């Protein structure tokens, strides 16, 4: 969609970003346990949080973690979080956001982008597979660890 654009997360858009409403049943997949347990052990300066706008409307949010010094490979260059508003899903917003994160990571010299997701009905697995991620392992919580070459 030509009208999509990214903005850094800021005071001007954080309320709308936090208020994104997902489809019924999707909340359970939005924050894999691996990320919620590691949230306070990663370098905050490594976060790459961006909102996706369609015109003036906030339709999505993505956060990457880009930290070459992170010892845990699965968190070094990863897609930490992605949410697309229910009414805007299925129109390429998620793909646009992940491609932007991949471009950013590539420009910083990373060669692999990882993501962690849970399998299940209403979950994001098909999305990640369509975007070129492949399962490469499993976390201690039984989630899928996926990766794509940049
Ligand atoms: C997963 C999510 C971000 C996808 O966003 P989206 O904007 O609807 O995705 P897109 O429209 O960009 O879809 C990209 C591709 O994935 C496919 N896809 C997306 N969701 C799919 C689904 N549930 N089933 C099958 N295919 C799906 C699309 O068909 C599209 O394929 P194509 O481009 O080859 O035609 C969105 O559903 C969401 O916010 N889910 C809840 C939060 C979540 O689970 N986040 C992941 C945490 S790990």
């Amino acid at each position: 969609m030509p009208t999509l654009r990214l903005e850094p997360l800021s005071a001007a858009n954080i309320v709308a970003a936090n208020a994104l409403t997902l489809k019924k049943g999707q909340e359970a997949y939005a924050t894999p346990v691996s990320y919620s347990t590691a949230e306070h052990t990663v370098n905050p300066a490594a976060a790459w949080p961006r909102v996706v706008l369609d015109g003036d409307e906030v339709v999505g949010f993505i956060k990457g973690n880009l930290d070459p010094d992170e010892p845990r490979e699965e968190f070094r260059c990863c897609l930490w979080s992605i949410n697309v508003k229910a009414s805007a899903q299925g129109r390429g917003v998620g793909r646009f956001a992940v491609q932007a994160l991949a471009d950013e990571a590539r420009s910083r010299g990373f060669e692999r982008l990882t993501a962690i997701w849970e399998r299940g009905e209403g979950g994001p697995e098909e999305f990640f597979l369509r975007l070129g991620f492949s399962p490469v392992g499993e976390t201690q919580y039984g989630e899928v660890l996926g990766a794509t070459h940049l």
Side-chain angles (χ1 to χ4, degrees), residues 22-23 26-27 29-32 35 79-85 88-96 115-118 122-124 126-128 130-131:
L22 301 177
K23 290 185 181 172
Q26 288 182 331
E27 284 290 348
Y29 297 95
T31 311
Y35 291 137
L79 195 172
W80 194 274
S81 168
I82 181 164
N83 290 318
V84 174
K85 188 176 180 172
Q89 288 184 18
R91 289 169 19 200
V93 175
R95 181 184 281 277
F96 172 82
I116 289 171
W117 66 84
E118 284 173 57
E126 286 304 318
F127 169 73
F128 284 114
R130 291 293 296 173
L131 263 60

Side-chain angles (χ1 to χ4, degrees), residues 35 73-74 77-79 98 111-117 128-129 131-138 144-150:
Y35 291 137
E73 207 275 333
E74 70 273 28
C77 175
C78 77
L79 195 172
V98 174
E111 294 181 348
R112 196 168 99 124
L113 178 66
T114 57
I116 289 171
W117 66 84
F128 284 114
L129 299 180
L131 263 60
F133 286 83
S134 305
V136 294
E138 193 179 296
V144 180
L145 172 63
T148 183
H149 188 72
L150 292 172

Side-chain angles (χ1 to χ4, degrees), residues 4-149:
L4 291 178
R5 63 195 166 91
L6 284 187
E7 268 184 9
L9 186 67
S10 71
N13 57 37
I14 192 167
V15 173
N18 284 337
L20 290 170
T21 308
L22 301 177
K23 290 185 181 172
K24 197 166 181 282
Q26 288 182 331
E27 284 290 348
Y29 297 95
T31 311
V33 180
S34 289
Y35 291 137
S36 52
T37 56
E39 197 164 359
H40 301 292
T41 64
V42 291
N43 179 0
W48 189 82
R50 295 290 184 275
V51 296
V52 186
L53 289 110
D54 184 2
D56 289 332
E57 186 192 2
V58 173
V59 291
F61 172 75
I62 185 166
K63 186 168 87 171
N65 193 64
L66 302 174
D67 183 359
D69 298 325
E70 167 58 56
R72 294 160 296 185
E73 207 275 333
E74 70 273 28
F75 299 140
R76 198 171 297 150
C77 175
C78 77
L79 195 172
W80 194 274
S81 168
I82 181 164
N83 290 318
V84 174
K85 188 176 180 172
S87 59
Q89 288 184 18
R91 289 169 19 200
V93 175
R95 181 184 281 277
F96 172 82
V98 174
Q99 280 175 349
L101 171 61
D103 289 346
E104 178 67 25
R106 203 179 293 112
S107 76
R108 296 192 198 186
F110 291 100
E111 294 181 348
R112 196 168 99 124
L113 178 66
T114 57
I116 289 171
W117 66 84
E118 284 173 57
R119 289 202 166 107
E121 197 179 333
E125 180 158 74
E126 286 304 318
F127 169 73
F128 284 114
L129 299 180
R130 291 293 296 173
L131 263 60
F133 286 83
S134 305
V136 294
E138 193 179 296
T139 70
Q140 60 179 309
Y141 303 107
E143 302 145 330
V144 180
L145 172 63
T148 183
H149 188 72

